[in-house]
Structures are given as structure tokens and as C-alpha cells.
Amino acid sequence: MTEDHPFNLDLIDRQIAFIESILFVSKEPIEPEKILNYLNCKNIGDFEKLISRMEAAYLDNGRGILLKRSGGGLQLVTKPEIHEHLKDFFTIKTSSKLTIPSLETLSIVAYRQPVTIAEISDLRSVNSIGPVKSLLQKKLIRISGRKKVPGLPLLYSTTQEFLLYFGLNDLSELPSLEELTEMFEEKEQPSLFKRNNQE
Amino acid sequence: MTEDHPFNLDLIDRQIAFIESILFVSKEPIEPEKILNYLNCKNIGDFEKLISRMEAAYLDNGRGILLKRSGGGLQLVTKPEIHEHLKDFFTIKTSSKLTIPSLETLSIVAYRQPVTIAEISDLRSVNSIGPVKSLLQKKLIRISGRKKVPGLPLLYSTTQEFLLYFGLNDLSELPSLEELTEMFEEKEQPSLFKRNNQE
Amino acid sequence: MNETEIYQVQTESFEGPLDLLLYLIRKNKMNILDVRISEITSEYLYYLQNCQGINPSQEGDFLMTASTLIYIKSRSLLPRAGSSQEESPEDKLIHTLIEYDKIQKISRLLREMENDTLLLWKREEISEHFENREFDIEEVSTFQLAEIFLNVIKKREKEEYLYLESKNYTIEHKIEEILGLLESNRYLNLFKYTESLDSIEEIMVSFFALLEMIKQHLVMALQKKNFDSISVWKKSPDPQLQ
């Protein structure tokens, strides 16, 4: 698999097959660099072509999965349009979502990290130990140190898991606060998104 | 997905895509009958054709997985000719697995260091020589001296490696037990009953 | 407030005092930057008095904000004493509200992103066996390590309980029985446990016993996700920490 014939179609096919198989067995996304190194592929452009070729192949109607780039890695996932059928087939009623308190807490951590529980509780005006704990258990946030103030409280930051969960490549993909205000200015409907969702 | 046009190519494609996606997300093999029923496919011959079509598609050199019929049903697996490459690719990761006993032992060493095997075994109520050995091999703990009690048992502490793995600058960054118990303490719910009675 | 408004409001639930305040500001078509705190204070108190949408476990937080509102209102009625350079409580509250408004926006964005990714299923999403699972070192967080240690210590605090079975179910007996079960098991699967019971009466008494135990902080009940089985874990005070 280390030969160097970029125009050898058979080699390209075998490389694609290899990438498909490692993504298939791996639970987590795999960094492109790792694959690149293993294939001894020196040209990033060649590798990009390989990936685009794969992506194109998955577009075929007869394929149920697709190649996704998230958390800085490559991952195989099912196609979004099959979601309802998957739910029906496995008789899964609802996909569990984060609660509003968890989402609020996560928003604060994402934009203010590293941040302490006291700061989170203060911003929400609600004691936020509960959601912090639940986000720690879900690995969406992590302890990232201690703040150098009296009491040395723990600091929290978002994780790789956070990026994966929300389908981000890195934190810079989150819109800035200014962009966010613009995004929501037109469709100002405060109670649309919330309600009927209690801890 | 329940329409009944066996010669509709687009439908066949969508059915194949669906089968691929359910086999992809499921850990166990899936019985063909279950799929047959879900697709509302009354003709077993039609279903067989669907499966053969899938099998043929996986034979393509550019595919890394294939459809396997085993006792329990249908399953996706990686192609046998890629196994060596898969092993090579994943070698680094397989050696670093931590079992629950190892994790328990590691947590005791982290919080009680320096500590003897007898003390660890006592806290866990299980002989803990095994996990201690495995943690030594993984360089997560080290021998740090002898305890001045009869028998002079060896003492164990965590290593620099340990700090690196957990992204800590020093041990004081570990959450304290006070902080942790606080998180696990349920919040007061004094008005739970009162409110129910009011209704 | 007319009746239909009250009716609408009763279906609302507020995540915290700021959520309620923002709701009232929008309801009264005010601008956050130009809020007349004194006007919404009485409405806020009205909601609080009638427990409308107030999560009982957060009552304290709602009351805290109520006192701030009342303080601001009283200040506006009294002549200002001295020339205070520092931020007035009113400005401070408005600042907090502006920040919280942003948080809600981010939350909505995250919710939309969550909805998108929930459509994509990863491998082995179905059937997860947590019990005998191995962890990659990179997967373990300091939080988990601490959590595991806490559990080890709690397990150590075992007390041997003896209990007698009796057909005459009382809450006291049930509590002892459940505590006994929790001594020999790390946790109790509530669904399985109720399946093992003889009668509806016993199930009900068990359920009341459980509520009582949760109230007394003897146990906590956890559910991984909606519709999942509920597991009951023992909580024991840790003398090491006192």
C-alpha cells in the first residue's frame, strides 16, 4: 500500500477500500494525517482527490452511508434522509436531546472558556452544578485547570466530543456573537425553541 | 419504502441504501426476516435479488467492506484482504486499553499516593496485583519507595506520564473529593410534594 | 392580564429568573436597553406567587432575583443618597439580561446543530454494553477518575444489613429492603426490581419508600436517557470528607 503511482487506478481503489475499512471499524473520527502517513502519501493534493472521490461515490442512491468531516477527522455516518426509517426499524421513539439548562451551560462554556461554575451560575442566575455535572458525564465539557482566584475553583472547557456532537471541525466554526445577533434578528421568536422541556 | 414496484430501480437503490445503513449502525447481525417485513417485501425471491445485488456491489475493488451472511443474519464486515493493514494501522491504540479494575486502581493511587498494594486491595475489596502490574507496564504508576511497616511493602505513585494523559499540570489540578461530592449531592426538593397536593 | 393570557402562560415553563424576565420584557414589547424595571417587577412577582412556570427546585434562584427587583424598585422611589460611582443594581441587571439574551441565542443555534447531527447515525449506535467495556486511555477524563474513586470509597462504606421478608408491607420495611439490596449490588434496576414484586400494593409501597429515600438523600435515581430504565444508587455520607 506504499507504492507511489498516483495514476494507478487499481492502487487508488485499494487505498479507498482501505480508508473505508478503517473508518468502518473505528468508533471515533480518524485524523486525515494518520491515514496520510500510513499510506505514505506525500502529496496532500493527491489525498484530497482520494477523499473527494470517496465522497462522490457515497452520493450514489444505492449507498446508505456517507463520509463526514467533523472534529478535524473523517467519519462514516448514515445519510440524513434515512433517519426516520432507522428510527422506525429499531423502534426508537425519540432521540435524546440535551436539556435547555444543559444547552445554556454549554453555550456559556463554548463562548467563555475556560470558565468556572460560579461564573456560569452567575450568568444564568441559576445554580448550575447539575447541568455541569451532566455535561461532564456526557464528555461535552472537561475540567481544564483551576482559576487563580481565592478558593482555586475548577475551570471548564469544551471537548473534542463537543465538536463531534455538534458536527463542528473546530471552535472557530461557531459564529461570533455579532454574527449570531444578525442571524436571529429577522426571525425573532423567543418562545419557539424552548418550552415543554424540563430537567 | 413500502411501495411495491420490484422493477423500479430507484426504489431498489433506496432499499439497498436502507439495508446498508441499518447493518452499518447495528453491532449484531440482523435477521433477513426483520428487513423483509419492514420493507413489506412479500416475495423472497425479490429480496434475494436485492441482497445479491448488494453483494455484487461490495465486490468492487474500491470497497473496504462486504456483506456477510452468518447464522444470525446479515452483517457488514471488513474485507479479509485488508485485515493485515487494519492491524498495522490500529496497533498503537490497542495496547492502551484500561479496564474498570485498572481505572479503580489508578484512581486510588492518584488520590491516596503513595499507597501499597495491600491498601489498594483493601479499598477495592479485591486482590489488586493484576491491575497494579498492568498500570506499571503502561507507565501510569511507578514504585516510589517502601512503607515503613513490617514487611516494608512497596509504595506506588502516579507518573509524569499520568499527568500528560490527563492533561494536568500537577496533581493539585485533580478535582477534590469535596468538589465532587458537592456535584453529586442532590439539590433540595422541598416543594415536590406540596405542589402535587395542591392540584 | 386577561384570562387567555393567563391560560397561555400556564403552559410555559421558565428555566430561570432571567428567562422569565426576558419573556416579560418581550411580552410587554419593551427593549432590553430601555426596560422599566418597576413595571415588570409586579408582573414577575405575580408569576412567582402563582408558581407559574416556576421550577420548584429553582425557587431559590427566582426569589433571589425577586429581591433584586424589589430593591431596584424601592431605590427608584427613594431619593438617591450620595453620588455613587459604581454600577447601579439596575444597570447590572440589564447587563446580565443582555448577556443572557445572547446565551439563549447560542443555545438555539446549538439546538439547531444538534438536530442536524442527530440525523446522522454512527456505527454501533444500537446496542451498547457498558458493563464490560474497556476504555482507551485518551477517553478517560479527570472527572471520571475522580468519580471512580468516589465510588470505590462509597463501596467501602458497606454496612451489613439484615432484613426479614414480610407480607405486611410498610414503607419502613421497604426502605430497609432496598438499602439491603443496594448493599449487595452497586445499583438497583428499578424496572427489574418492580417486575420481581408480588403485588401492586407492594410496588406502590416500594415506590413511596423510594420517594422517601430520595427525599432523605439516602439514594439517588438516575436515568441515562428518556424511556431508559431507572437505576437507583445508594448515597452514603463519606466520613473521609468530614
Side-chain angles (χ1 to χ4, degrees):
Chain A
M1 202 102 9
T2 54
E3 304 98 292
D4 227 352
H5 308 289
F7 300 111
N8 182 334
L9 261 182
D10 182 51
L11 173 67
I12 291 181
D13 268 353
R14 280 189 293 133
Q15 289 183 329
I16 287 181
F18 167 72
I19 298 174
E20 181 175 69
S21 70
I22 53 166
L23 296 181
F24 177 79
V25 287
S26 168
K27 269 186 229 149
E28 272 93 51
I30 293 183
E31 292 159 35
E33 294 74 36
K34 271 177 111 174
I35 305 174
L36 216 101
N37 285 339
Y38 186 82
L39 293 177
N40 204 6
C41 179
K42 277 158 200 108
N43 188 331
I44 295 188
D46 283 349
F47 184 72
E48 268 300 329
K49 270 183 216 149
L50 217 58
I51 298 300
S52 319
R53 225 184 135 96
M54 281 185 79
E55 283 175 331
Y58 286 119
L59 286 182
D60 187 289
N61 277 343
R63 304 300 315 265
I65 51 179
L66 56 81
L67 186 64
K68 193 183 154 222
R69 300 162 191 242
S70 72
L74 297 168
Q75 190 176 24
L76 293 179
V77 293
T78 59
K79 289 189 174 168
E81 60 265 32
I82 309 182
H83 173 71
E84 285 302 321
H85 285 299
L86 284 169
K87 266 172 72 175
D88 282 354
F89 185 83
F90 292 108
T91 56
I92 289 169
K93 296 252 159 39
T94 47
S95 350
S96 67
K97 291 187 190 174
L98 295 173
T99 60
I100 304 264
S102 289
L103 272 180
E104 287 186 1
T105 303
L106 202 50
S107 306
I108 295 170
V109 179
Y111 278 81
R112 295 279 175 100
Q113 57 190 311
V115 66
T116 66
I117 292 190
E119 288 160 350
I120 298 169
S121 301
D122 196 44
L123 277 165
R124 295 185 59 225
S125 295
V126 173
N127 181 326
S128 300
I129 288 182
V132 165
K133 177 187 151 193
S134 128
L135 291 171
L136 277 168
Q137 280 171 335
K138 293 195 169 81
K139 293 194 179 162
L140 294 172
I141 61 172
R142 67 188 168 88
I143 296 164
S144 57
R146 289 185 182 276
K147 191 166 184 173
K148 287 181 186 61
V149 295
L152 295 173
L154 292 169
L155 285 164
Y156 300 88
S157 301
T158 55
T159 60
Q160 178 76 6
E161 210 66 22
F162 165 81
L163 297 176
L164 293 180
Y165 188 82
F166 292 102
L168 293 163
N169 267 310
D170 58 70
L171 281 173
S172 68
E173 285 186 6
L174 280 177
S176 71
L177 285 181
E178 291 76 30
E179 289 167 330
L180 207 76
T181 324
E182 282 170 33
M183 279 170 67
F184 285 103
E185 220 128 69
E186 296 101 63
K187 38 172 180 173
E188 194 59 49
Q189 282 181 310
S191 38
L192 180 94
F193 126 94
K194 52 167 41 254
R195 311 302 167 216
N196 68 47
N197 201 337
Q198 265 184 301
E199 277 277 69
Chain B
M1 192 96 26
T2 53
E3 305 98 290
D4 228 352
H5 309 290
F7 300 111
N8 182 334
L9 260 182
D10 182 52
L11 174 67
I12 291 181
D13 268 353
R14 280 189 292 132
Q15 289 182 330
I16 288 180
F18 167 71
I19 298 174
E20 180 175 68
S21 71
I22 55 167
L23 296 180
F24 174 81
V25 292
S26 168
K27 211 173 187 176
E28 278 96 41
I30 292 181
E31 294 159 31
E33 294 74 38
K34 255 185 102 177
I35 304 173
L36 215 102
N37 285 340
Y38 184 82
L39 293 178
N40 204 6
C41 179
K42 276 155 199 112
N43 187 333
I44 296 191
D46 282 350
F47 185 71
E48 267 301 329
K49 269 184 220 151
L50 215 59
I51 299 300
S52 321
R53 225 184 136 96
M54 277 185 84
E55 284 175 329
Y58 285 119
L59 285 182
D60 187 289
N61 277 343
R63 305 299 314 266
I65 49 180
L66 55 80
L67 186 64
K68 191 183 150 208
R69 300 167 190 236
S70 66
L74 298 167
Q75 195 177 13
L76 290 180
V77 295
T78 54
K79 286 189 175 168
E81 61 266 32
I82 310 182
H83 282 185
E84 282 306 313
H85 284 299
L86 281 174
K87 254 168 78 183
D88 281 355
F89 186 84
F90 287 108
T91 33
I92 327 102
K93 285 193 96 182
T94 45
S95 59
S96 56
K97 295 276 186 198
L98 287 180
T99 57
I100 298 274
S102 298
L103 275 177
E104 285 187 2
T105 306
L106 188 57
S107 73
I108 294 170
V109 178
Y111 279 90
R112 289 282 167 92
Q113 57 189 304
V115 66
T116 67
I117 292 192
E119 288 160 351
I120 298 169
S121 301
D122 190 48
L123 267 171
R124 294 187 54 228
S125 308
V126 178
N127 181 326
S128 301
I129 291 180
V132 165
K133 264 191 192 159
S134 127
L135 290 171
L136 278 170
Q137 276 168 357
K138 295 192 169 81
K139 299 204 169 76
L140 292 170
I141 62 171
R142 67 190 167 88
I143 295 165
S144 57
R146 286 185 182 279
K147 190 165 187 174
K148 290 183 185 58
V149 294
L152 296 173
L154 293 170
L155 284 165
Y156 297 87
S157 301
T158 54
T159 59
Q160 191 64 26
E161 212 86 357
F162 166 84
L163 294 177
L164 278 178
Y165 271 127
F166 289 95
L168 298 164
N169 285 313
D170 57 74
L171 284 171
S172 72
E173 287 189 356
L174 274 178
S176 74
L177 286 188
E178 286 82 359
E179 286 163 329
L180 208 73
T181 5
E182 195 189 348
M183 250 182 233
F184 281 92
E185 219 121 79
E186 290 277 301
K187 266 184 273 168
E188 283 291 318
Q189 293 182 313
S191 31
L192 185 78
F193 285 100
K194 189 182 83 193
R195 254 160 231 278
N196 285 345
N197 290 343
Q198 278 175 352
E199 281 167 8
Chain C
M1 210 178 306
N2 65 44
E3 267 186 19
T4 51
E5 265 182 314
I6 292 172
Y7 177 75
Q8 272 179 350
V9 158
Q10 277 173 336
T11 62
E12 309 270 0
S13 120
F14 300 100
E15 295 304 331
L18 299 179
D19 192 17
L20 173 54
L21 279 178
L22 278 185
Y23 170 81
L24 294 176
I25 288 169
R26 293 197 175 108
K27 192 170 147 281
N28 290 308
K29 301 199 168 54
M30 291 181 189
N31 185 324
I32 297 188
L33 296 169
D34 185 28
V35 173
R36 292 170 300 277
I37 295 288
S38 46
E39 276 180 36
I40 50 173
T41 298
S42 41
E43 261 193 87
Y44 181 92
L45 294 176
Y46 175 86
Y47 277 74
L48 205 57
Q49 269 164 6
N50 295 285
C51 305
Q52 279 173 359
I54 307 295
N55 185 338
S57 66
Q58 284 165 6
E59 233 164 35
D61 297 314
F62 279 93
L63 285 169
M64 276 284 277
T65 301
S67 67
T68 308
L69 288 172
I70 294 167
Y71 175 61
I72 292 171
K73 194 173 179 177
S74 64
R75 258 173 61 111
S76 72
L77 300 175
L78 294 168
R80 292 284 155 87
S83 62
S84 67
Q85 288 281 13
E86 52 187 77
E87 205 181 15
S88 73
E90 184 159 11
D91 290 347
K92 203 173 158 218
L93 182 67
I94 285 169
H95 180 73
T96 312
L97 277 171
I98 291 169
E99 288 303 304
Y100 185 71
D101 183 48
K102 287 181 197 160
I103 293 164
Q104 282 199 332
K105 284 184 174 128
I106 302 167
S107 301
R108 280 164 64 188
L109 174 75
L110 289 180
R111 175 67 93 213
E112 283 172 18
M113 288 160 61
E114 182 186 39
N115 286 338
D116 288 345
T117 51
L118 280 177
L119 296 179
L120 310 173
W121 296 40
K122 285 169 288 202
R123 269 212 83 203
E124 294 167 2
E125 201 116 310
I126 302 303
S127 100
E128 10 185 305
H129 303 283
F130 278 110
E131 292 304 321
N132 297 314
R133 106 161 249 235
E134 292 187 334
F135 298 85
D136 284 327
I137 293 182
E138 302 95 84
E139 271 180 21
V140 185
S141 63
T142 44
F143 173 72
Q144 261 184 305
L145 198 70
E147 200 181 357
I148 287 167
F149 182 59
L150 197 73
N151 285 336
V152 169
I153 289 184
K154 279 183 179 169
K155 262 196 278 177
R156 196 71 194 91
E157 309 290 309
K158 285 180 184 171
E159 301 158 81
E160 299 294 318
Y161 259 93
L162 276 179
Y163 64 92
L164 292 170
E165 275 188 46
S166 122
K167 287 286 163 192
N168 190 12
Y169 307 114
T170 67
I171 293 181
E172 285 80 359
H173 280 132
K174 264 295 162 201
I175 289 179
E176 282 183 27
E177 186 194 317
I178 293 172
L179 282 177
L181 286 172
L182 285 173
E183 298 300 339
S184 41
N185 298 297
R186 236 150 60 86
Y187 64 90
L188 186 71
N189 181 319
L190 194 61
F191 289 0
K192 280 194 186 139
Y193 175 67
T194 43
E195 275 170 21
S196 75
L197 300 178
D198 293 335
S199 61
I200 300 275
E201 187 205 348
E202 190 182 2
I203 292 174
M204 283 182 68
V205 172
S206 306
F207 188 63
F208 287 130
L210 204 65
L211 285 180
E212 188 59 31
M213 288 164 82
I214 292 171
K215 213 173 109 193
Q216 292 181 19
H217 299 275
L218 293 172
V219 296
M220 55 185 176
L222 298 175
Q223 191 182 27
K224 250 188 222 135
K225 48 180 183 251
N226 276 349
F227 310 112
D228 236 354
S229 170
I230 293 171
S231 53
V232 179
W233 297 72
K234 183 166 190 281
K235 293 175 53 164
S236 56
D238 185 356
Q240 314 264 2
L241 301 173
Q242 286 161 3

